[in-house]
């Protein structure tokens, strides 16, 4: 339970190395009833950084991700986005969420709206963008994620991989400061995982700040600046992907990696 | 049978008033009930409390008592409503809204939580989340129970007969008195005119239901 947090000496991957701190968590705690899901989490994510959070199920990594746009409330501590603490409720919170893109495990595309309308809804209703401009931008984004030809369809008519790429386009349409990915490929059939990961690698290459909860080691190696390993609600270890996968320090991380790497 | 045809103009007067009561109270109940449902799922505790209170009072009070309240009690404490159909419309609306609210709320709950989360995640406020994302999807599960509520409302308008509103049932009572030999025919006539409202309502509901269907 009380594994010491093993931080690498010198911490070459610290947020500061990549620019100003964009997302900052200080002493964040959360309980689900008796369960202490986030234990005194401290984390900084820099501008342009791609951070991968991995860990066994129940380690709190999804909760951490969802806490950053307050889809989960926290019991204590502070979360700052661009230096501003998360507002409690109301207009301030909505404003903040519009600046934080979120991609869900289960896509959550608006089932009653076409692909195009899914992407334009936020810009039109939240940002006040004119319909035509919003459509133009949406088509560009859909083209970028490779589903422009599906624009007129309803989400249910698309494959999982296509739906998730639309979800990414929907989040990007708000021009977010940071993108949160909560296990974006976990609900996908194996043959569709790569089409989503390719888009994410592309985004990472464009300098978008990303916090990605995933088990995709390939993505972490290819695109991440830093890997954070969580277990039992704590950050147990953080390092560059190369270091983490080849030479994990903590027993929990070694144990976890041995389980997912050997089949 | 002949006397029913002879009494047709009288029936039609009553029918018109019943249709009027049902249509106005129905429209108002749909609006008020939806607002109450929004209250009941609001993030604000005080709104949830108000919603719950109105619904519990509305649906647990016999309709006749609601009528008595608006027709006799309110004037008794100095709040005079204009006579005629207005107290009946208010009573029917208050009562029916509670049931509309619960039907709409069950529809809201049938929409996956992920839909609301995705809406909030792109920065929509709670009212926008409800009106742009959740309610349109709730509609499809809400239509059948709502039609039940509206059919019940149509029949409930007959309570107004006891409060000096000469709608269909009051008309039938009068006709039964005027044609004592044909009481059964007269009352069957009344039933027929209720069916003229409720059966098309069911058919309209069916067509709305087909139109709002989409696959998840």
């Amino acid at each position: 339970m009380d594994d010491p947090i093993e931080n690498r000496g010198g911490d070459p991957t610290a947020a500061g190395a990549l620019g100003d701190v964009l997302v900052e968590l200080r002493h964040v705690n959360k309980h689900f009833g008796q369960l202490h899901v986030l234990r005194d989490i401290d984390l900084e994510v820099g501008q342009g950084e791609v951070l991968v959070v991995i860990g066994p199920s129940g380690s709190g990594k999804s909760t951490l991700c969802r806490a950053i746009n307050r889809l989960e409330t926290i019991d204590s501590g502070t979360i700052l986005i661009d230096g501003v603490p998360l507002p409690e409720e109301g207009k301030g919170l909505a404003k903040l969420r519009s600046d934080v893109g979120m991609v869900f495990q289960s896509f959550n595309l608006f089932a009653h709206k076409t692909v195009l309308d899914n992407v334009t809804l936020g810009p039109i209703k939240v940002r006040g963008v004119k319909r035509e401009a919003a459509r133009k931008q949406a088509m560009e984004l859909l083209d970028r994620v490779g589903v422009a030809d599906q624009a007129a369809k309803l989400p249910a008519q698309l494959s999982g991989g296509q739906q998730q790429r639309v979800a990414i386009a929907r989040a990007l349409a708000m021009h977010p400061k940071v993108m949160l990915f909560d296990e974006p490929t976990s609900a996908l059939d194996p043959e569709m995982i790569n089409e989503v990961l390719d888009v994410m690698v592309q985004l990472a290459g464009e300098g978008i700040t990303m916090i990605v909860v995933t088990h995709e080691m390939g993505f972490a190696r290819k695109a991440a600046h830093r890997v954070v390993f969580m277990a039992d609600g704590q950050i147990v270890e953080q390092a560059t992907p190369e270091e983490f996968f080849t030479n994990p320090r903590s027993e929990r991380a070694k144990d976890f990696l041995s389980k997912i790497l050997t089949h | 049978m002949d006397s029913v045809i002879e009494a047709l103009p009288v029936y039609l007067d009553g029918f018109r008033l019943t249709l009027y009561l049902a249509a106005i109270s129905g429209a108002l109940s749909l609006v008020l009930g939806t607002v109450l449902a929004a209250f009941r799922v609001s993030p604000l505790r005080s709104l949830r409390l108000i919603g719950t209170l109105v619904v519990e009072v509305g649906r647990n009070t016999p309709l006749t008592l609601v009528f008595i309240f608006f027709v006799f009690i309110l004037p008794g404490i100095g709040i005079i409503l204009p006579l005629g159909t207005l107290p009946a419309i208010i009573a029917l609306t208050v009562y029916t809204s509670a049931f509309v609210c619960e039907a709409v709320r069950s529809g809201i709950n049938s929409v996956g939580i992920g839909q609301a989360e995705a809406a909030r995640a792109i920065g929509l406020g709670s009212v926008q989340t409800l009106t742009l994302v959740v309610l349109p999807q709730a509609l499809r599960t809400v239509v059948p129970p709502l039609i039940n509520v509206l059919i019940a409302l149509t029949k409930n308008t007959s309570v107004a007969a006891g409060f000096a509103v000469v709608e269909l049932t009051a008309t039938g009572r009068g006709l039964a008195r005027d044609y004592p030999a044909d009481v059964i025919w007269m009352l069957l006539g009344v039933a027929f005119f209720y069916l003229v409202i409720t059966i098309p309502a069911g058919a309209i509901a069916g067509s709305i239901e087909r139109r709002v269907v989409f696959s998840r």
Side-chain angles (χ1 to χ4, degrees):
Chain A
M1 278 314 236
D2 291 311
D3 283 6
I5 296 176
E6 293 193 23
N7 242 317
R8 303 272 165 159
D11 206 2
T13 56
L18 281 134
D20 297 337
V21 174
L22 188 62
V23 179
E24 189 175 356
L25 287 80
R26 285 195 215 125
H27 306 298
V28 171
N29 280 283
K30 178 172 178 75
H31 297 76
F32 282 130
Q34 288 292 307
L35 191 67
H36 200 166
V37 280
L38 296 179
R39 294 169 182 259
D40 210 34
I41 299 281
D42 280 303
L43 184 68
E44 290 185 356
V45 184
Q47 183 84 48
E49 183 174 11
V50 177
L51 178 78
V52 162
V53 183
I54 67 172
S57 73
S59 60
K61 55 195 191 311
S62 271
T63 308
L64 177 79
C65 187
R66 290 163 56 83
I68 294 173
N69 68 351
R70 214 180 154 83
L71 286 180
E72 300 286 354
T73 56
I74 55 173
D75 298 339
S76 66
T78 38
I79 299 176
L80 300 116
I81 310 266
D82 221 357
V84 182
L86 283 190
E88 295 261 308
E89 257 308 328
K91 286 211 160 52
L93 182 59
K95 170 82 183 68
L96 174 123
R97 283 180 175 143
S98 70
D99 289 334
V100 178
M102 176 106 185
V103 176
F104 299 86
Q105 180 176 345
S106 47
F107 329 135
N108 293 345
L109 291 180
F110 305 130
H112 63 307
K113 290 191 175 293
T114 64
V115 164
L116 184 64
D117 290 343
N118 262 275
V119 182
T120 57
L121 185 69
I124 292 172
K125 296 295 178 184
V126 178
R127 297 267 193 254
V129 175
K130 289 271 186 300
R131 184 168 296 273
E132 267 321 299
R135 277 170 180 265
K136 189 165 169 288
Q137 182 204 229
M139 286 311 296
E140 284 165 12
L141 285 168
L142 288 173
D143 192 41
R144 208 163 123 196
V145 299
V147 286
D149 52 337
Q150 314 288 329
K153 291 188 182 168
L154 286 172
Q157 297 170 282
L158 272 57
S159 73
Q162 289 171 326
Q163 289 193 49
Q164 193 61 300
R165 285 183 282 153
V166 173
I168 292 173
R170 176 176 69 180
L172 288 174
M174 302 302 290
H175 301 293
K177 292 176 181 165
V178 51
M179 288 277 287
L180 308 174
F181 293 83
D182 184 8
E183 304 205 29
T185 57
S186 300
L188 292 174
D189 291 331
E191 75 272 22
M192 293 169 186
I193 289 176
N194 277 336
E195 64 191 57
V196 172
L197 290 179
D198 286 347
V199 169
M200 290 167 60
V201 170
Q202 182 192 329
L203 295 180
E206 290 166 17
I208 293 177
T209 310
M210 294 163 65
I211 298 174
V212 185
V213 175
T214 186
H215 292 286
E216 295 297 331
M217 302 303 145
F219 172 79
R221 280 178 185 273
K222 212 183 290 178
H225 297 110
R226 181 163 50 130
V227 172
V228 165
F229 176 72
M230 282 184 77
D232 295 325
Q234 288 177 310
I235 294 179
V236 175
E237 185 170 342
Q238 43 184 317
T240 61
E242 196 53 37
E243 266 181 274
F244 178 76
F245 292 119
T246 53
N247 185 25
R249 293 277 171 90
S250 63
E251 282 309 315
R252 296 297 309 260
K254 283 177 190 164
D255 182 48
F256 176 72
L257 287 173
S258 72
K259 277 176 186 154
I260 59 168
L261 293 178
T262 55
H263 283 274
Chain B
M1 190 68 189
D2 288 347
S3 30
V4 170
I5 290 163
E6 193 183 302
L8 210 51
V10 186
Y11 271 124
L12 284 177
D13 282 343
F15 173 75
R16 264 195 291 273
L17 193 50
T18 288
L19 188 60
Y20 173 77
L21 287 177
I24 302 288
S25 316
L28 292 175
S29 302
L30 287 178
V31 174
L32 185 59
T34 307
V35 172
L36 283 174
F39 277 25
R40 292 204 68 174
V41 299
S42 156
L44 297 177
R45 212 179 112 80
S46 53
L47 289 185
R48 285 203 302 275
L49 219 64
I50 294 171
T52 309
L53 195 75
V54 174
V55 166
E56 291 304 338
V57 170
R59 72 172 174 182
N60 292 316
T61 312
L63 180 56
T64 309
L65 283 187
V66 180
F67 266 87
I68 290 173
F69 179 79
F70 285 106
V71 175
F72 297 120
I73 313 257
L74 273 192
I77 58 171
I79 301 169
I80 313 286
L81 296 170
L83 287 175
T85 53
L86 188 66
I89 286 173
I90 295 175
L92 286 166
T93 301
V94 168
Y95 180 81
T96 309
S97 297
F99 294 95
V100 170
C101 168
E102 290 305 274
V104 171
R105 196 165 65 93
S106 76
I108 290 172
N109 290 338
S110 77
V111 178
I113 182 76
Q115 293 286 313
E117 285 188 345
R120 281 151 61 200
I122 59 170
L124 296 175
S126 48
V127 174
Q128 285 179 317
T129 297
L130 206 57
T131 55
L132 297 173
V133 174
V134 178
L135 283 178
Q137 296 187 59
L139 190 61
R140 120 199 93 145
T141 45
V142 154
V143 172
L146 271 189
I147 287 303
N148 278 346
V149 171
L150 292 179
I151 287 174
L153 163 67
T154 305
K155 298 186 290 182
N156 283 340
T157 55
S158 63
V159 173
F163 297 86
V165 179
V166 189
E167 42 64 79
L168 195 49
T169 297
T171 304
R173 208 163 51 200
L175 287 171
R177 199 171 46 234
D178 297 343
Y179 298 86
D182 291 323
V183 169
I184 288 175
W185 283 109
M186 286 300 155
L187 294 182
L188 280 174
V190 169
F192 169 78
F193 279 105
Y194 279 108
L195 292 182
V196 169
I197 300 176
T198 54
I199 287 183
I204 291 168
S207 87
I208 294 176
E209 218 181 321
R210 276 189 297 278
R211 218 174 315 147
V212 296
V213 151
F214 58 88
S215 48
R216 281 184 211 242

